[in-house]
Amino acid sequence: MAAVLCRRCLPRARRYRRAGQGCGRHYRAAICTELKKPLTIEEVAPRPVGPHEVRVDVNFCGVNFADILVCRGQYQEKPHLPFTPGLEFSGTVLETGTDVSTVKEGDRVIGIRNFNCMAEECITDQKNLWQIPEKVSLQEAAVLPVSYGTALFALEHRAHTQPGEVVLVTAAAGATGLAVIDMATNILQAKVIAAAGSDEKCKLVLQRGAQSSVNYNQGSLKDAVRKLVGEGGVNVAIDMVGGDVFLEALRSLAWEGRLVVVGFAGGNIASVPANLLLLKNVSAMGLRYGQYKETNFPVFSKSLSSLLQYCQQGRIQPYVGMVFKLEEVNDAFLHVIQGKSMGKVLLALK
């Protein structure tokens, strides 16, 4: 996907003060005032918390491809301008509403919501927060909601991955790809073939637990997978690239294999050849992870609680590739757009 933002138009975000009714000191937030333009850093006046709401002092915020798409007007959700991007955060509770019972001032929490997280403070409903266990750092916790939540749902809820099965994951050196490797290997006891776009990325995925790696910029992904597993193919494929890579992954499936579409980082959306589904009785399915928060909240909430527990137990190890300051948010976006990111990209608000 061609980058809409370019380096020469990405100075450090400028600072403004946004007028508004407040109840305390102003805080900084990344603001999208115009689609396909660099974000600005503005000082925002805080509003009072509602009865069921919590004010959180944000330490880290994840940078996801969805944030870039929404700031281009290319995401399925289109918030009204101006808005603050950001889907996930970690931080400390500053204030609670009168009817809040799940957290208290001083608790360390992760949160996930429909944007508005790239700010020094975030107000959200108490149901959008999960307490961070003692042994998990705020930085580690910030990686969990989107990347690990997506990995868990793709592997368990959609593909029903079983111990000993072979999982192929594309864009494997990205935040979600590494989460898939971590979850498949250390929680589900599956074997992982990790496909990535450079030798450097292939080296990283092997270090993070994949049994094999494939550089899909050096030849056919299907042929490379066949050399590793034979004609039988892989049981599960998790694809985040789309286009030709998706089709190669589909053709790499074993009998009754399952492919989960998570995203289209390559910029092209392939059509599914229905005859391929029939020939091997395979399944191709999608995953819109965030929608589970609205349609099946108990399952969604349990998944995040499980991830925090796995992290507390040392069974998973979130990998942070790069940390940017809030005023470097445009550089962080560019880093993701250009495919440079290996692991999770975070904004540090402190």
Side-chain angles (χ1 to χ4, degrees), residues 45-298:
R47 67 169 177 84
V49 297
H52 298 278
E53 291 183 324
V54 178
R55 189 190 313 277
V56 178
D57 186 25
V58 177
N59 283 75
F60 294 98
C61 176
V63 178
N64 296 286
F65 204 70
D67 296 311
I68 296 167
L69 292 178
V70 78
C71 291
R72 292 172 171 175
Q74 296 173 342
Y75 195 63
Q76 51 262 38
E77 296 177 24
K78 294 177 170 57
H80 296 294
L81 292 168
F83 66 88
T84 295
L87 296 165
E88 59 187 337
F89 62 88
S90 66
T92 305
V93 173
L94 287 174
E95 181 186 1
T96 60
T98 55
D99 295 335
V100 171
S101 59
T102 57
V103 295
K104 65 183 183 303
E105 183 180 344
D107 283 348
R108 299 185 313 140
V109 294
I110 56 170
I112 187 167
R113 54 173 304 174
N114 294 335
F115 305 106
N116 294 309
C117 296
M118 289 185 180
E120 292 176 327
E121 289 185 10
C122 181
I123 293 178
T124 188
D125 192 282
Q126 63 177 334
K127 71 178 183 180
N128 296 326
L129 298 175
W130 289 261
Q131 289 193 49
I132 301 173
E134 182 181 356
K135 294 181 181 179
V136 180
S137 71
L138 286 164
Q139 180 169 293
E140 285 179 313
V143 182
L144 297 178
V146 173
S147 298
Y148 273 79
T150 299
L152 186 152
F153 265 77
L155 289 165
E156 287 191 341
H157 194 76
R158 299 298 283 151
H160 300 289
T161 306
Q162 301 300 307
E165 287 192 317
V166 179
V167 175
L168 170 66
V169 55
T170 65
T176 302
L178 290 178
V180 168
I181 294 171
D182 202 2
M183 290 291 298
T185 302
N186 297 313
I187 302 300
L188 300 175
Q189 287 75 54
K191 300 176 182 178
V192 177
I193 299 173
S198 72
D199 290 341
E200 183 184 11
K201 291 179 178 180
C202 286
K203 181 179 178 180
L204 175 64
V205 299
L206 291 173
Q207 292 172 347
R208 301 303 297 177
Q211 280 68 45
S212 306
S213 67
V214 174
N215 183 341
Y216 44 53
N217 285 329
Q218 293 184 349
S220 165
L221 175 60
K222 178 187 174 185
D223 290 345
V225 170
R226 183 184 293 128
K227 289 179 182 179
L228 292 169
V229 299
E231 294 291 336
V234 301
N235 306 106
V236 174
I238 310 296
D239 179 53
M240 288 164 278
V241 178
D244 291 340
V245 171
F246 162 83
L247 293 173
E248 294 265 309
L250 183 64
R251 291 186 171 96
S252 299
L253 289 177
W255 175 261
E256 292 191 337
R258 294 88 70 199
L259 184 149
V260 183
V261 177
V262 175
F264 311 100
N268 295 314
I269 301 175
S271 297
V272 179
N275 63 309
L276 294 182
L277 306 182
L278 181 148
L279 291 173
K280 291 186 181 179
N281 278 9
V282 300
S283 303
M285 64 197 85
L287 170 62
R288 187 180 171 192
Y289 165 63
Q291 193 64 22
Y292 281 95
K293 188 160 75 77
E294 309 301 328
T295 60
N296 195 341
F297 185 78

